[in-house]
Amino acid sequence: ACFRLLCSLLIPALFLSGILCVCLVILLWGIRLWLQQRKKQLTSAGKDGKRPLLVAFFHPYCNAGGGGERVLWCAIRTLQKKYRNVTCVVYTGDRDATGEEIVEGAFRRFNIKLTHPVKFVFLEKRYLVEASLYPHFTLLGQSLGSVFLGWEALLKCVPDIYIDSMGYAFTLPLFKYLGGCRVGCYVHYPTISTDMLSVVRNQDTRFNNAAFITNNPLFSKFKLVYYYFFAFMYGLVGSCSDVIMVNSSWTLNHILSLWRAGACTSVVYPPCDVQTFLDIPLEEEKSTAEHSVVSVSQFRPEKDHSLQIRAFAKLLKEKRLGQQPSLKLILIGGCRNQQDEERVNNLKNLCEELGVSNNIVFRINIPFEELKRHLAEATVGLHTMWNEHFGIGVVECMAAGTVILAHNSGGPKLDIVVPYEGHITGFLAENVDSYAETMAYIFSLSPEKRLEIRENARRSVHRFSDQHFEETFLLSVEPLFK
């Protein structure tokens, strides 16, 4: 009787789910046809009678002025130089600026001049991808928000080629299967990584894993299940991309393990403005009265400025007074909001506690020329972020002629602070002790030896120039234009 009841319920349920699946497929196919029809209506032929190829970049914060934006504008300039019948479109949420102001800002900040106009599609729902909207389940919230924002973008403009240049992988299937586009992406940082999974699994307290979760085994297990589910979904949406570009070997390893699409994945180093820093003359140190250590990075929690301060305090404590030049640590960075400003105040309090306030200088939101001057005068360039995905600041320090000391992980370890033609280009460290010891070692070297390391580092950074980016970017996106 039970078996008969199950059969009588199961067969209609299977039949109903089959009908629903067919209806869903028909609905999605209908939406796709409607979008294709809309595309024909919205795009007109050019002067030669041919319809231009629309290449759209999804970059909701295109006016932010960071390294990711430099990649965007270099990519657009590269396509404009290479392909004549191409119109570049940028989906952006920067509604407080006009298209002309955004292009002017790109020229002012990055010295990137575009050869043709860019079409901007202004999005109204950018707030859906802001982390502040999702105090809990932030990854999932932002990813679902990006789908709604992507849908708004698709309704306003259906391109031929779609490139996500900001890390919103959940928009890729939307444009591929509903928009009928060829899709590519440039990944600066995986939304979730195997490192993040291990942090939760090992119950480590970090800036993205609160103490109340690590101290509770049940919360930790729940968060781990959530992370594994999200990693599975992230892998699913990412793998539908036709072309995948990543910014470093570290990002490559994570994307290969999550997306499993090795055949269409390649490393395209971000274009760093190395030439500006290479203009600084590289000479043997003249004055030995004072050595400065310079750190260049935004005042964000993951940059770990407290590690820099503690290591520098340890260096000062162990330095025998009167026998060496005086030392100064200059922390240069941007403050985006009140939280960043509070973080700076906490760091200043830490300096007071450790008794090193007189030797540490904070320089907030300074002009570029002042940044360049500090780098030109510095002996050591300091960087302490664990698993930095690439590290544009590390490249800039090396190009400017400082002896770099970066974290022994991520992009600096795998791509940047590596031997060049068999010669040393800089140093790596992991904790307070090793940073303090390595700084002491750098200062113990002769000026001639330091100059040799600086020259090697300078020669090595040509791999990260605009020209090298253009060549590798064009090679990677070529399948999208066939």
Side-chain angles (χ1 to χ4, degrees), residues 108-109 276-277 294 296 330 332-335 362-376 396:
R108 198 174 60 250
R109 287 190 195 106
T276 306
F277 293 98
V294 167
V296 183
I330 303 166
I332 300 171
C335 276
F362 287 82
R363 304 296 293 125
I364 319 290
N365 300 330
I366 60 172
F368 183 74
E369 284 308 311
E370 190 183 335
L371 162 71
K372 210 168 155 180
R373 180 172 58 76
H374 281 301
L375 283 171
E396 289 174 347

Side-chain angles (χ1 to χ4, degrees), residues 192-206:
I192 192 164
S193 67
T194 47
D195 290 324
M196 285 165 74
L197 290 168
S198 68
V199 162
V200 179
R201 195 167 43 242
N202 300 335
Q203 291 180 247
D204 292 343
T205 303
R206 287 187 184 261

Side-chain angles (χ1 to χ4, degrees), residues 269-270 274 395 398 414-420 425 457-466 468-469 472:
Y269 291 130
V274 292
V395 173
M398 289 165 77
L414 297 172
D415 294 305
I416 306 172
V417 192
V418 294
Y420 181 71
T425 57
R458 267 206 160 173
R459 280 195 292 271
S460 77
V461 296
H462 287 287
R463 299 171 293 142
F464 310 116
S465 64
D466 287 4
H468 191 265
F469 169 81
T472 51

Side-chain angles (χ1 to χ4, degrees), residues 44-57:
S44 53
K47 291 174 187 172
D48 56 359
K50 286 183 184 174
R51 192 180 67 80
L53 198 69
L54 284 183
V55 181
F57 290 85

Side-chain angles (χ1 to χ4, degrees), residues 398-419:
M398 289 165 77
T402 68
V403 179
I404 192 69
L405 173 55
H407 200 283
N408 190 25
S409 63
K413 178 186 180 177
L414 297 172
D415 294 305
I416 306 172
V417 192
V418 294

Side-chain angles (χ1 to χ4, degrees), residues 130-408:
E130 286 175 11
S132 56
L133 194 63
Y134 313 99
H136 306 293
F137 300 101
T138 313
L139 295 179
L140 193 60
Q142 284 183 291
S143 298
L144 291 174
S146 73
V147 175
F148 286 103
L149 190 64
W151 176 245
E152 184 194 342
L154 194 53
L155 286 178
K156 288 184 173 175
C157 174
V158 184
D160 299 291
I161 294 168
Y162 170 80
I163 298 172
D164 163 42
S165 51
M166 235 193 122
Y168 294 108
F170 282 74
T171 61
L172 294 166
L174 190 70
F175 279 83
K176 183 168 186 170
Y177 299 117
L178 288 185
C181 314
R182 281 158 277 168
V183 300
C185 58
Y186 188 95
V187 184
H188 296 274
Y189 198 86
T191 306
I192 192 164
S193 67
T194 47
D195 290 324
M196 285 165 74
L197 290 168
S198 68
V199 162
V200 179
R201 195 167 43 242
N202 300 335
Q203 291 180 247
D204 292 343
T205 303
R206 287 187 184 261
F207 73 92
N208 59 354
N209 197 35
F212 81 89
I213 289 174
T214 59
N215 295 334
N216 188 311
L218 186 67
F219 283 177
S220 284
K221 281 188 175 64
F222 180 77
K223 185 167 183 177
L224 192 61
V225 170
Y226 159 56
Y227 265 23
Y228 271 113
F229 166 73
F230 186 83
F232 171 74
M233 294 301 294
Y234 183 59
L236 215 58
V237 296
S239 62
C240 77
S241 193
D242 301 308
V243 164
I244 302 162
M245 294 166 279
V246 296
N247 66 342
S248 69
S249 302
W250 181 85
T251 308
L252 175 73
N253 294 337
H254 287 284
I255 289 298
L256 288 178
S257 69
L258 290 163
W259 292 10
R260 303 184 190 283
C264 56
T265 307
S266 56
V267 176
V268 177
Y269 291 130
C272 306
D273 192 14
V274 292
Q275 196 51 55
T276 306
F277 293 98
L278 291 171
D279 292 343
I280 297 170
L282 197 60
E283 298 156 357
E284 203 171 296
E285 298 152 30
K286 295 184 189 81
S287 165
T288 52
E290 183 180 89
H291 282 308
S292 67
V293 178
V294 167
S295 156
V296 183
S297 57
Q298 283 187 322
F299 287 100
R300 302 207 306 256
E302 64 270 27
K303 298 297 181 183
D304 207 352
H305 287 88
S306 63
L307 172 56
Q308 300 178 5
I309 293 165
R310 289 179 195 282
F312 188 72
K314 189 175 172 66
L315 173 73
L316 289 179
K317 195 177 172 185
E318 292 175 358
K319 184 170 75 76
R320 268 173 273 168
L321 297 169
Q323 293 190 352
Q324 290 179 333
S326 67
L327 300 177
K328 187 153 271 178
L329 172 61
I330 303 166
L331 301 175
I332 300 171
C335 276
R336 303 161 299 171
N337 49 39
Q338 196 183 339
Q339 287 159 309
D340 287 358
E341 283 163 21
E342 283 170 17
R343 202 168 286 119
V344 169
N345 286 332
N346 291 337
L347 291 170
K348 286 178 178 175
N349 291 339
L350 178 63
C351 296
E352 291 279 348
E353 273 174 48
L354 298 170
V356 291
S357 293
N358 294 338
N359 296 81
I360 298 182
V361 179
F362 287 82
R363 304 296 293 125
I364 319 290
N365 300 330
I366 60 172
F368 183 74
E369 284 308 311
E370 190 183 335
L371 162 71
K372 210 168 155 180
R373 180 172 58 76
H374 281 301
L375 283 171
E377 292 168 359
T379 305
V380 175
L382 199 58
H383 186 275
T384 46
M385 181 177 165
W386 171 74
N387 269 341
E388 171 76 87
H389 45 298
F390 179 70
I392 288 176
V394 175
V395 173
E396 289 174 347
C397 282
M398 289 165 77
T402 68
V403 179
I404 192 69
L405 173 55
H407 200 283
N408 190 25

